[in-house]
Amino acid sequence: MNHRFRAAIFALAALGAVLPVDQAHAQLGRLRDRVRQGADQVRGAVTGGEQAAPAQAQPEGAEADAPAAPGAPVAFVNFDFVPGERVLFAEDFTRDNVGDFPRRLELLEGNGEVAEVGGRRYLRAAEDLKFAIPLTEALPDRFTLEIEYMAAEASLAEIYLAEGEHGYDRDGKARATFHVGTNFRTVAGLNTQDSRSTQAGFQGYQPNVPFFVRLMGDGRYTKMYVLGTRVANAPNFDVGRGRQIVVNIPGSGVAGNEGAYIASIRVAAGGRDLYDALSAEGRVAVQGILFDTGSDRIRPESAPVLQRIGDMLRGHADLRLMVEGHTDDVGGDAANLSLSTRRAAAVRQYLVERFGIDAARLESQGLGETKPAAPNTTPEGRQQNRRVELVRL
């Protein structure tokens, strides 16, 4: 049986559908007939052996700068995701040649290639694709994973954190599978090999429009977010840790669609308590404050990080801070300096207005690309440099 139809049956069972197996197969048959009716229309867009590109769309968000996606706005439900501060792996495929498999990923099964859509690079699954994200160290107890994903309908993506095949460690211990399904319902969550699961539906999915899948781990506590919804909240699941993360995404063919695309990947180690870091070092970098591209408008998914800062300021009435804005070296010096200045001022104003912090306790300045935290020669370095820093006064 084709991998994608096996995955769809899994989605019906593991994602909460309560159908007997024969009914599940029947529903799959109906899906196959329905989607193949449109296959000729899709294949008609394929010329010269090239796969048709998905509809051009802007991403839902990005690590430091992102245009909003078209369509309905993202609704944030129980969204408490705070990205890790120390970047372990970052990739946006801009350094890879179109048509090549990304050099920094490890191909395990299938076929994938870098494609350019609307001026942006993606990893496209030409066939069902399994690949590994290699890490220079084992995934730490506190970590975050962000994958910007795009797929047509009838899609099931899977993520494994343990080193071995299908969510098992190399010693055979049962581990977990994170899944994102748009086969019959937009449902995502976490299943373990010992039949434990937690999952929920999510809103706002549109075929061929990028969206973020996020994981946040703290020891045995793991949370998963899709678009703006927390879909898995597992306080005592051992999901595994290793020196690689395995991702399985569907390719083109079964539904006559274009297959799945990945626009960016970010893996980071979780940070320390903000006040502890300020007390010890006098400054702390914050990675999770996001802005619209070329703008100082703060994006909604920044709220959890800003809440932490506001709570810290409320809890320590004598604390005074300088809010610094920093950029990477992409773009002109003057433009980066101006943008970082406006963004730092926007964060200061947000804290004053939202949390009632006395404006006299906060100052702001933009430093552009003049104070890099890491070399700008790698994706990880550029990610590290796009940041807000809090400096104790």
Side-chain angles (χ1 to χ4, degrees), residues 113-188:
E113 63 185 8
V114 174
E116 188 163 305
V117 182
R120 192 177 187 199
R121 298 284 175 91
Y122 294 81
L123 168 60
R124 180 177 74 88
E127 300 174 358
D128 290 351
L129 175 64
K130 179 181 287 187
F131 65 88
I133 303 168
L135 304 176
T136 57
E137 61 186 76
L139 200 64
D141 277 352
R142 299 181 66 186
F143 76 92
T144 58
L145 167 66
E146 300 168 80
I147 296 178
E148 193 177 1
Y149 181 66
M150 180 170 71
E153 294 177 299
S155 167
L156 179 68
E158 298 167 324
I159 302 170
Y160 314 110
L161 300 183
E163 296 237 11
E165 186 77 8
H166 301 304
Y168 280 85
D169 275 342
R170 297 192 187 281
D171 60 5
K173 293 181 180 179
R175 288 299 186 264
T177 302
F178 297 89
H179 50 258
V180 181
T182 59
N183 301 67
F184 301 96
R185 297 187 294 147
T186 48
V187 180

Side-chain angles (χ1 to χ4, degrees), residues 10-11 15 34 39 43 98 111 145 157 201 216 220 232 259 275 293 299 368:
F10 170 77
L15 304 184
R34 186 170 65 253
R43 294 190 183 99
V98 172
N111 186 12
L145 167 66
M216 183 168 66
R220 290 174 60 88
Y275 188 75
T293 297
R299 292 184 59 80

